[in-house]
Amino acid sequence: MEFKLNDEQRRMVESVRELAQGKFRQRALRWMDGTFPWENIKELAELGVLGMTVPEEYGGMGLPVFETALILEEIAKVCYPTAMAVLGEAGVQTRVISHYAPASIRERILPQVVSGDCILSICMTEPHAGTDVRNYRTNAVRKGDRWVINGVKTLISRAEEAGMFVVFTRIEGKPGREGIGCVLIEKGTPGLEVTGTYHTMGGENLHEVQFNDLEVPDENIVIREDGFKKLLNAFNTQRCLNPSISLGLAEGAFDEAVKYVRERPIFGKPIADFQGIRWKLADMYKDIEAARGLLYRACWTANPFPDPFLAATAKVFTNEMAIRVTGEAIQVHGGFGFTDEYPVSRLYRGARYGSLGGGASETLRDLIGRKIVSGDMDTDGILALGYF
Ligand SMILES: Cc1cc2nc3c(=O)[nH]c(=O)nc-3n(C[C@H](O)[C@H](O)[C@H](O)COP(=O)(O)OP(=O)(O)OC[C@H]3O[C@@H](n4cnc5c(N)ncnc54)[C@H](O)[C@@H]3O)c2cc1C
């Protein structure tokens, strides 16, 4: 097993780190009121990062999951809203367009994703159905050579900035998961309305998005049935990318904690001299490294998609680790850790998101548990799964 980055991976990580630590760090507080981090996004586009999962033929880098995760980790160390915005350009929605959209849409939209001129939004969650995708009510009905869409989506990221919405919808009212397809809706389409705003504790704004007798041409219906089944592999990729943000947030908070305990004197010596504080740092460090091992290993199985069981395991552990570690980073800062004066409270607020989205911890624990009792692991444990 190889535990070192190769030269190319190292160069890529270093260039993103330089930008993130040199510029994004100082700007991070600006985005906590819901302002979209355009300045950062444009600079990342110049580095090519926004197109990291866009196929090379459309001007992207076509990077595998592991490299994408490394980049998100670097950005998240200093700025959760920027990392989330980049995930939006590198995640499921990009894959839907790359794999399922007709050539006319791919050729027009994907180069704009790379340049940062087209922000993508994914619309899945509905007011009464988040995890329970079988209950989606948004529906697309054929009308001649066009489709009419009605419905409401909620908690949608980047809805105000998006140039393209990737919307999961029922097709012709067909029930259940099998009846779910996917439609592409461009900004400015009559009947598309971005309404109610939710400001999150992580800093970003989420919105409600409504489709009122909205019409699209047939070519915009990019998945006509079994949308979830078709995209399960892409969702497993998301289960590696979401925790890469958690890992970065935990590392960023850990670095801040180490710096602070070396500098802060109490009772005549730096608090780093107290064993109780050093033990906290030791626990934070071991948790981060355990999560890194799980996550990188899950990414390593991607060929091109990660193993679902390992991705779920890595996601649950890393998301929850980040909440613990960023919380402890606040603790060692004392009362100052609770203020905006130090980055740790910001990183903690971002870390709280991971276990809610991209497959919540409860549903992924279900997936992991089902596999464990399925019989696959009864005799040889992990060896039976063929990972080693
Ligand atoms: C910052 C942020 C950004 C987001 N961006 C987007 C976006 O861009 N697009 C989009 O479509 N959505 C987005 N969402 C919504 C997100 O995907 C949903 O919140 C998520 O899918 C959970 O759905 P829900 O909130 O309806 O919770 P529910 O499905 O109502 O779940 C509530 C609780 O029940 C638990 N639960 C569910 N099933 C089970 C079970 N079988 N056993 C035990 N417990 C269970 C859940 O884990 C959760 O803890 C975003 C959310 C946040 C916080």
Side-chain angles (χ1 to χ4, degrees):
M1 294 177 93
E2 179 59 82
F3 286 95
K4 279 191 175 147
L5 299 184
N6 63 35
D7 288 347
E8 201 177 321
Q9 289 164 335
R10 189 173 294 279
R11 266 196 304 279
M12 190 186 68
V13 167
E14 279 166 3
S15 64
V16 177
R17 182 177 299 168
E18 196 181 314
L19 180 60
Q21 298 288 340
K23 293 191 173 169
F24 299 174
R25 200 171 207 287
Q26 286 81 347
R27 296 176 192 152
L29 260 183
R30 283 190 214 166
W31 325 121
M32 293 306 286
D33 65 356
T35 305
F36 189 73
W38 278 116
E39 215 173 334
N40 295 353
I41 289 299
K42 289 290 172 192
E43 286 168 354
L44 285 164
E46 280 162 27
L47 264 191
V49 163
L50 290 193
M52 60 186 159
T53 61
V54 170
E56 283 171 300
E57 59 190 298
Y58 302 108
M61 292 201 266
L63 288 183
V65 178
F66 181 49
E67 280 79 355
T68 309
L70 290 176
I71 289 178
L72 287 169
E73 183 187 330
E74 282 309 316
I75 300 169
K77 282 181 186 172
V78 295
C79 187
Y80 160 85
T82 304
M84 286 292 282
V86 174
L87 175 62
E89 301 303 270
V92 177
Q93 47 275 57
T94 313
R95 201 166 288 281
V96 171
I97 297 173
S98 307
H99 286 258
Y100 295 104
S104 57
I105 295 182
R106 281 198 312 264
E107 284 160 11
R108 188 161 46 84
I109 295 299
L110 291 175
Q112 292 184 49
V113 171
V114 177
S115 65
D117 293 318
C118 182
I119 297 296
L120 301 175
S121 179
I122 185 160
C123 298
M124 298 169 67
T125 310
E126 300 193 356
H128 54 279
T131 313
D132 188 5
V133 299
R134 292 163 312 173
N135 273 323
Y136 283 0
R137 290 182 193 157
T138 299
N139 193 20
V141 177
R142 190 185 269 281
K143 180 181 151 197
D145 59 353
R146 297 180 70 76
W147 290 78
V148 181
I149 298 148
N150 279 289
V152 182
K153 297 288 181 178
T154 195
L155 299 178
I156 304 304
S157 305
R158 301 172 301 283
E160 283 197 318
E161 295 78 19
M164 175 72 91
F165 295 79
V166 176
V167 179
F168 284 76
T169 175
R170 205 158 286 296
I171 303 285
E172 300 273 27
K174 194 174 165 196
R177 282 172 79 114
E178 300 73 29
I180 295 169
C182 182
V183 57
L184 302 181
I185 298 176
E186 292 196 45
K187 178 183 176 175
T189 306
L192 174 70
E193 231 184 302
V194 176
T195 52
T197 304
Y198 300 92
H199 182 60
T200 73
M201 65 187 276
E204 77 265 71
N205 283 343
L206 308 177
H207 290 90
E208 202 155 272
V209 179
Q210 298 198 14
F211 318 108
N212 300 310
D213 290 327
L214 179 149
E215 288 192 24
V216 291
D218 185 61
E219 66 168 15
N220 283 44
I221 306 280
V222 289
I223 301 177
R224 287 162 200 267
E225 57 182 357
D226 254 354
F228 271 91
K229 217 167 169 186
K230 290 194 172 125
L231 284 170
L232 269 182
N233 283 327
F235 287 124
N236 286 324
T237 302
Q238 203 83 348
R239 286 173 189 165
C240 286
L241 300 183
N242 160 308
S244 71
I245 294 181
S246 298
L247 179 62
L249 290 164
E251 288 175 278
F254 177 72
D255 291 346
E256 294 296 333
V258 172
K259 205 161 55 180
Y260 190 80
V261 301
R262 282 185 181 143
E263 287 166 4
R264 171 73 170 173
I266 44 175
F267 302 115
K269 54 185 182 182
I271 52 175
D273 284 3
F274 294 98
Q275 190 180 46
I277 295 290
R278 292 201 301 260
W279 282 12
K280 280 187 192 298
L281 295 174
D283 282 340
M284 291 158 79
Y285 178 77
K286 77 172 165 46
D287 278 2
I288 288 171
E289 290 309 314
R292 189 196 310 285
L294 278 174
L295 179 60
Y296 286 7
R297 179 161 154 242
C299 293
W300 172 73
T301 63
N303 183 25
F305 301 111
D307 178 274
F309 179 79
L310 289 183
T313 309
K315 182 177 186 300
V316 171
F317 186 83
T318 309
N319 290 158
E320 294 176 0
M321 173 284 294
I323 298 170
R324 286 196 303 276
V325 167
T326 53
E328 283 294 72
I330 292 178
Q331 193 66 24
V332 302
H333 279 69
F336 292 108
F338 199 58
T339 70
D340 285 342
E341 208 51 37
Y342 291 88
V344 283
S345 67
R346 212 170 26 74
L347 297 168
Y348 174 81
R349 289 158 70 177
R352 198 60 198 79
Y353 164 68
S355 63
L356 299 170
S361 288
E362 290 75 13
T363 49
L364 294 185
R365 275 195 168 83
D366 245 8
L367 183 155
I368 296 165
R370 272 201 309 274
K371 177 83 177 175
I372 292 170
V373 297
S374 68
D376 280 357
M377 300 179 75
D378 277 357
T379 49
D380 305 348
I382 198 101
L383 292 178
L385 293 170
Y387 296 133
F388 292 105

